[in-house]
Amino acid sequence: MGLLQIHSPVAVFLSKPVLSSHSRLPCLPPLQDSAKNFGQSSLFSSSPGIRDRLFSLSTVPRKLLCTPPQGKHVREDYLVKKLSAQEVQELVRGERNVPLIIDFYATWCGPCILMAQELEMLAVEYENNAMIVKVDTDDECDFARDMQVRGLPTLYFISPDPNKEAIRTEGLIPIQMMRDILDNEM
């Protein structure tokens, strides 16, 4: 195996390292006896030393500038409510006068967070003309599997008319497409 020595502007492939009076090997610190010093300087050591000063956490409690948010994706004042699988099944089987939109999401999913913002705007716009709920696929993984959720976010548009089939979308869709489905297909 050869070495690649770079000279500006040409790289030369050499079969052996070339040493001259101008080139030096990198200087490394002398090796110490690992049997003597293992307990003292090892990163895995439990004895106090430099390692503890460098990697220890402060024992002084941190002062919070403000209270942390209750939940990033679900709050009491949101119009789109998070429901369990049982609650969603009761909604689908029950009597409704408005279309139902079910959002299957995950808290770690970037497009789901963007979709949640669009759904919240849609919930304000269609406050009395549509019901929008969300299901966390990490909490309700069996229900998500039964509903054939393979990609996130997945939306189901379910008409109040039992003769109409549900419309399923997968991935981030624009709010105008959701309006068109609600206005024309439901």
Side-chain angles (χ1 to χ4, degrees):
M1 181 165 135
L3 296 174
L4 183 65
Q5 187 175 13
I6 300 175
H7 298 280
S8 58
V10 180
V12 180
F13 188 77
L14 302 171
S15 60
K16 293 183 181 179
V18 175
L19 295 176
S20 69
S21 60
H22 300 298
S23 63
R24 293 185 194 176
L25 290 175
C27 292
L28 297 174
L31 293 175
Q32 298 176 357
D33 185 10
S34 61
K36 284 191 255 177
N37 298 323
F38 180 75
Q40 296 171 3
S41 63
S42 171
L43 289 177
F44 305 106
S45 168
S46 61
S47 62
I50 286 181
R51 182 184 69 83
D52 293 333
R53 285 188 304 237
L54 294 176
F55 298 106
S56 68
L57 297 175
S58 175
T59 57
V60 178
R62 299 174 97 186
K63 182 180 177 183
L64 295 176
L65 298 175
C66 62
T67 58
Q70 294 296 328
K72 185 175 182 181
H73 308 286
V74 179
R75 288 186 18 193
E76 293 84 28
D77 59 341
Y78 286 173
L79 293 176
V80 179
K81 301 294 182 192
K82 177 184 171 187
L83 298 181
S84 68
Q86 182 68 31
E87 293 169 325
V88 169
Q89 290 173 355
E90 290 171 5
L91 269 179
V92 171
R93 292 185 187 126
E95 292 286 324
R96 289 183 324 279
N97 298 330
V98 295
L100 174 65
I101 301 173
I102 305 171
D103 173 27
F104 287 91
Y105 76 102
T107 56
W108 47 263
C109 168
C112 297
I113 295 168
L114 296 174
M115 181 74 82
Q117 295 168 358
E118 290 184 355
L119 286 172
E120 199 63 35
M121 290 189 292
L122 197 69
V124 170
E125 192 175 323
Y126 286 82
E127 188 171 6
N128 297 321
N129 299 325
M131 182 183 299
I132 306 173
V133 297
K134 60 192 333 179
V135 176
D136 189 346
T137 56
D138 290 331
D139 294 340
E140 303 288 346
C141 56
D142 293 333
F143 181 57
R145 185 189 64 235
D146 293 343
M147 293 294 290
Q148 299 178 355
V149 174
R150 294 183 181 91
L152 295 175
T154 295
L155 294 181
Y156 277 93
F157 295 84
I158 302 173
S159 174
D161 182 6
N163 297 327
K164 288 189 177 181
E165 290 195 21
I167 297 173
R168 178 182 186 271
T169 64
E170 190 173 296
L172 185 62
I173 62 171
I175 193 167
Q176 187 57 46
M177 185 181 290
M178 291 186 265
R179 286 186 192 116
D180 291 342
I181 292 173
L182 285 172
D183 294 338
N184 303 328
E185 305 295 329
M186 298 283 120

